[in-house]
């Protein structure tokens, strides 16, 4: 048996690749990243151009369907997404069943799975068939409906997770506002009467949504695809992605940056913090990336957006500490030699804070737009040539060889 275990590679080359540093699991046409040059493109379009000229919902169409929409295509897509915003009345009870201090990400992760229970048409196990076939109009229409629903309801669920914590009533998505404006309206996170979203802040949040919409096979997107490869419904797959995103090494980093800046306190404490990072006692959250070995191109867009937001909200008091930390790290040999530079999360939390969102809500502000990228990859995988192959990696077994069972009384 031992010999066979050692020779298991006879069925092909098996590579041990911890953390998938060098493993490609899919051919994708969605997002291109050049980590050395700091380039990010959605479907060929540079992220800088999209951030300047497009909006989150138009970019969502681009990511999912491959091309920028015509006026008519966009109007249809927008109205379908917005029409699917409201959730079933029973979902209110679901949110009310959480304890008063539940973390919004715990609520949101569960809420996506809960949502799936309403849509049997999206569940291949219940339908007893492979649901999605290229060229089959009916099955593509089922797929489109799940896409509209998940994008439309992502903002509603997020706003519900916010409001339930405050003991406030839920607000149905209003008519006539943009996707991002509608989200802000449903949140009314500052509790203003007759709240109207500030156009500068609405635009800023929309740009942040757009640049967070996809980033190829990051941990959460991979989780979505891994889960969906068993042909489970997309709601369950997105719940899985949401759970993965929440870790502090991924989407939880924007919350971790603010906690880190508060703990540093002021610029005088930056050198001591940097030394603690170098002794590996601390992590510099918001720095480093698996793919970018130079500044994350999104971080420049975030900084520009921050300038606009701060003109409305005033500067965040943590900004000076953040800048001192940034400058110290960029000059330090530890960070230079490891090619560690700011990622998108280094400044995004500062904007969210200035806009008045609570810290534990920041990862939710990452999930809402990332639902788009997850869906783009899910659709691509479901419709790929040759159908879906279940993702079932192999391991390199390093445990004991065969052993014989010893009854409990004879064990020493
Ligand atoms: N602070 C201190 N040291 C770091 C950091 C950091 N933020 N990031 C990487 N390093 C060090 C590692 O300790 C390692 O050093 P070593 O070679 O001496 O052992 C070296 O740099 C290489 O780093 P790895 O951890 O191997 O890089 P990996 O690609 O596995 O990890 C990650 C990438 C998880 C993003 C990492 O840089 C990190 O933990 N950053 C902080 C968390 C963060 O900001 N995450 C957000 C990522 S962007 C996003 O999800 C939107």
């Amino acid at each position: 048996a031992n010999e066979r275990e050692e020779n298991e590679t006879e069925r092909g080359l098996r590579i041990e690749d911890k953390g998938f540093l060098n493993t490609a699991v899919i051919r994708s046409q969605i997002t291109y990243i050049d980590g050395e040059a700091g380039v990010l493109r959605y479907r060929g379009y540079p992220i800088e151009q999209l951030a300047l000229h497009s909006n989150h919902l138009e970019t969502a169409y681009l990511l999912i369907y491959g091309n920028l929409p015509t006026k008519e295509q966009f109007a249809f897509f927008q109205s379908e997404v917005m029409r699917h915003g409201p959730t079933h009345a029973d979902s209110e009870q679901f949110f009310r069943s959480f304890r008063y201090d539940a973390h919004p990400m715990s609520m949101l992760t569960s809420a996506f799975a809960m949502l799936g229970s309403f849509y049997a048409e999206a569940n291949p196990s219940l339908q007893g068939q492979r649901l999605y076939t290229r060229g089959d109009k009916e099955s593509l229409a089922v797929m489109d409906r799940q896409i509209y629903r998940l994008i439309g309801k992502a903002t509603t669920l997020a706003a519900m997770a916010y409001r339930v914590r405050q003991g406030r009533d839920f607000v149905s998505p209003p008519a006539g506002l943009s996707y991002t404006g509608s989200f802000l309206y449903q949140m009314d996170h500052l509790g203003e009467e007759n709240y109207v979203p500030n156009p500068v802040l609405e635009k800023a949040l929309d740009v942040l949504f757009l640049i967070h919409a996809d980033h190829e096979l990051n941990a959460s997107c991979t989780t979505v695809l891994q889960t969906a490869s068993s042909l489970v419904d997309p709601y369950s797959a997105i719940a899985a992605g949401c759970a993965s995103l929440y870790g502090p090494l991924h989407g939880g980093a924007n919350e971790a940056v603010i906690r880190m800046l508060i703990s540093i306190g002021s610029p005088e404490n930056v050198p001591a913090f940097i030394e603690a990072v170098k002794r590996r006692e601390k992590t510099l959250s918001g720095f480093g990336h698996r793919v970018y070995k130079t500044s994350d191109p999104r971080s420049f867009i975030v900084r520009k957006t921050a300038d606009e937001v701060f003109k409305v909200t005033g500067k965040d008091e943590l900004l000076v500490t953040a800048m001192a930390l940034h400058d110290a790290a960029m000059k330090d040999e530890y960070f230079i030699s490891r090619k560690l530079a700011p990622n998108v999360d280094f400044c995004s939390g500062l904007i969210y804070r200035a806009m008045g969102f609570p810290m534990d809500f920041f990862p939710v502000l990452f999930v809402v737009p990332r639902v788009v990228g997850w869906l783009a990859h899910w659709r691509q995988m479901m419709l790929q040539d040759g159908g879906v192959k279940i993702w079932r990696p192999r391991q390199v077994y390093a445990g004991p060889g065969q052993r014989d069972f010893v009854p409990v009384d004879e064990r020493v």
Side-chain angles (χ1 to χ4, degrees):
N2 277 352
E3 215 171 281
R4 207 171 64 241
E5 281 154 15
E6 277 161 24
N7 289 336
E8 260 195 308
T9 47
E10 71 201 10
R11 288 183 64 197
L13 180 65
R14 188 173 305 167
I15 297 161
E16 185 182 355
D17 184 10
K18 281 188 194 146
F20 303 133
L21 275 151
N22 294 300
T23 300
V25 285
I26 204 157
R27 272 180 188 264
S28 179
Q29 302 184 337
I30 301 171
T31 291
Y32 172 78
I33 302 176
D34 179 339
E36 296 296 327
V39 169
L40 170 62
R41 296 185 204 128
Y42 291 166
R43 299 278 188 182
Y45 294 99
I47 193 70
E48 295 79 7
Q49 288 187 25
L50 292 168
L52 198 60
H53 302 298
S54 185
N55 60 60
H56 175 58
L57 216 50
E58 183 183 65
T59 297
Y61 184 101
L62 168 71
L63 282 165
I64 294 166
Y65 298 108
N67 286 305
L68 284 166
T70 61
K71 257 191 199 155
E72 293 71 28
Q73 285 168 331
F74 181 67
F76 179 75
F77 180 66
Q78 185 175 34
S79 85
E80 285 300 302
V81 167
M82 301 307 280
R83 188 167 76 75
H84 282 93
T87 56
H88 193 285
D90 286 352
S91 57
E92 297 193 358
Q93 266 167 272
F94 168 85
F95 275 102
R96 291 215 171 88
S97 68
F98 286 95
R99 216 172 70 161
Y100 70 95
D101 59 350
H103 195 287
M105 281 299 285
S106 305
M107 289 192 262
L108 190 60
T109 303
S110 326
F112 281 117
M114 176 274 299
L115 203 55
S117 69
F118 291 99
Y119 306 111
E121 68 164 1
N123 187 331
S125 308
L126 295 179
Q127 303 301 331
Q129 55 178 305
R130 283 185 180 241
L131 275 180
Y132 309 112
T133 315
R134 261 195 332 206
D136 174 42
K137 262 190 163 176
E138 216 170 290
S139 82
L140 290 180
V142 173
M143 175 176 262
D144 281 343
R145 268 202 298 283
Q146 313 323 313
I147 290 172
Y148 305 146
R149 275 193 190 119
L150 273 157
I151 300 176
K153 291 185 202 313
T155 46
T156 311
L157 297 178
M160 289 172 95
Y162 180 77
R163 280 183 165 250
V164 77
R165 277 261 300 258
Q166 303 197 323
R168 287 165 69 198
D169 281 340
F170 303 123
V171 177
S172 288
L177 291 181
S178 71
Y179 181 74
T180 305
S182 161
F183 172 56
L184 283 170
Y185 182 90
Q186 289 180 83
M187 294 270 300
D188 181 11
H189 62 290
L190 300 174
E192 288 169 12
E193 239 173 88
N194 303 322
Y195 172 71
V196 181
N198 176 303
V200 176
L201 302 186
E202 180 182 332
K203 176 70 194 151
L205 190 59
D206 196 73
V207 170
L208 292 177
F209 277 1
L210 184 155
I211 62 170
H212 280 90
D214 191 48
H215 212 231
E216 51 119 304
L217 287 204
N218 47 78
S220 57
C221 183
T222 309
T223 305
V224 168
L225 294 183
Q226 167 84 61
T227 310
S229 78
S230 71
L231 297 185
V232 76
D233 66 275
Y235 302 90
S236 304
I238 282 192
C242 199
S244 165
L245 183 138
Y246 182 43
L249 297 188
H250 186 14
N254 53 16
E255 182 182 345
V257 167
I258 301 298
R259 293 191 194 281
M260 170 187 77
L261 292 173
I262 292 171
S263 80
I264 295 173
S266 63
E268 310 86 88
N269 302 328
V270 163
F273 180 82
I274 293 275
E275 290 312 310
V277 171
K278 288 158 68 174
R279 289 195 303 273
R280 294 173 193 271
E281 290 162 16
K282 307 253 182 207
T283 295
L284 177 45
S285 295
F287 260 67
H289 200 276
R290 170 59 62 82
V291 185
Y292 293 121
K293 297 304 161 202
T294 178
S295 286
D296 179 335
R298 298 169 300 175
S299 66
F300 299 110
I301 301 171
V302 172
R303 285 174 79 159
K304 194 166 153 263
T305 308
D307 289 341
E308 266 135 50
V309 167
F310 295 155
K311 275 187 216 150
V312 176
T313 61
K315 276 197 175 138
D316 191 294
E317 81 233 14
L318 294 176
L319 191 65
V320 261
T321 308
M323 287 306 110
L325 189 57
H326 170 273
D327 295 348
M330 295 300 275
K331 285 200 295 252
D332 193 290
E333 195 42 39
Y334 174 95
F335 298 93
I336 295 169
S337 63
R338 289 171 178 77
K339 300 188 175 171
L340 301 173
N343 59 49
V344 68
D345 285 325
F346 190 69
C347 279
S348 63
L350 288 171
I351 306 184
Y352 299 144
R353 210 171 104 99
M355 287 174 78
F357 294 110
M359 230 184 312
D360 59 7
F361 200 72
F362 297 174
V364 172
L365 296 170
F366 189 167
V367 170
V368 168
R370 186 52 63 86
V371 163
V372 164
W374 293 336
L375 287 169
H377 287 270
W378 171 71
R379 184 178 184 276
Q380 174 177 260
M381 180 158 118
M382 291 297 132
L383 300 179
Q384 74 195 352
D385 283 341
V388 178
K389 192 143 185 79
I390 192 161
W391 286 19
R392 199 322 186 170
R394 298 305 309 269
Q395 61 171 8
V396 174
Y397 179 73
Q402 181 177 318
R403 298 194 280 180
D404 291 325
F405 183 80
V406 180
V408 68
D409 295 341
E410 294 170 29
R411 288 175 212 158
V412 283

